Amino acid sequence: MEVDKRITTIQNEVKRTLQNAECGHDYSHAVRVCKNAEQIAKTEGGELAIIQAAALLHDVSDEKFSNGNTIIGLKLTENILKKAKFKAAEIKKIIEIIQNISYKGGFNSNGIPSIECAIVQDADRLDAIGAIGVARAFHYGGFKNRELYNPEIEPQDFANADEYRKSNGPTLNHFYEKLLKLKYLMNTPTAKEMAEPRHQFLLQFIDEFLKEWGK
Ligand code: ADP
Ligand code: NI
């Protein structure tokens, strides 16, 4: 694949910006999401540079990491895109993708504005399931000092994004609350297909986990 210089600039900037990020949302996550997105785009189309830029930058502005402040991160994202010499209209499109892909407990209901957005959202969701998904969930749980599992705490149905974000439940509950739903939420047929073995892996993992726990 021919390398777009603008994407190389973005790679370097994202790497620098996410240096101290929590490992589940670090530069390697951005790279994996970008690879997933490139694979989906091969069959689903969309403008490749827009997809790559949005995939690499999607977590730079995550409000989880700036105490709910989305403005700082979005400004940073915009500056990186300007530095890489994306045009104003492209920057607008990329920012729009980033603002619309977040899961937020399934309450981010602005809709999917473009095929590029659908692809990047699917690519991000693929990285939340499978073996990487398991590793990221427990890593995030550790970061928040959550219990691995507690049979006395049932998985929850959250009423809104805020409740979802504030939940302190054990990490295994997150599998039921979010991860096992993702396969059904894929926008594109290609991502749905890619999700299948990863979904099966989650089921197998839960099964083995509960067996070893002694349920
Ligand atoms: P988004 O950033 O798309 O809104 P989330 O913040 O819900 O999505 O989750 C991003 C990733 O962070 C998840 O896929 C998972 O790996 C991890 N994560 C988020 N919340 C939890 C949680 N309560 N328990 C374990 N992992 C979590
Ligand atoms: Ni992400």
Side-chain angles (χ1 to χ4, degrees), residues 24-25 29-30 33 55 58-59 62 64 101 124-125 127 136:
H25 295 85
H29 166 64
V33 172
H58 81 278
D59 271 333
D62 199 313
K64 291 199 275 308
I101 64 164
D124 191 27
R125 288 173 168 177
D127 204 53
R136 288 181 70 216

Side-chain angles (χ1 to χ4, degrees), residues 145-200:
N145 199 24
R146 307 256 167 84
E147 285 180 285
L148 300 180
Y149 174 55
N150 184 337
E152 286 172 11
I153 304 175
E154 292 280 318
Q156 293 182 56
D157 263 327
F158 299 107
N160 53 55
D162 205 39
E163 226 181 67
Y164 166 74
R165 196 63 87 208
K166 284 189 183 140
S167 157
N168 274 324
T171 300
L172 202 75
N173 287 11
H174 190 66
F175 286 66
Y176 300 97
E177 290 160 353
K178 174 183 177 186
L179 307 186
L180 289 171
K181 295 179 182 172
L182 293 179
K183 175 182 100 163
Y184 304 98
L185 295 173
M186 293 296 166
N187 303 298
T188 64
T190 308
K192 225 168 253 175
E193 216 172 280
M194 287 163 74
E196 191 54 44
R198 297 183 187 220
H199 182 85
Q200 291 308 320

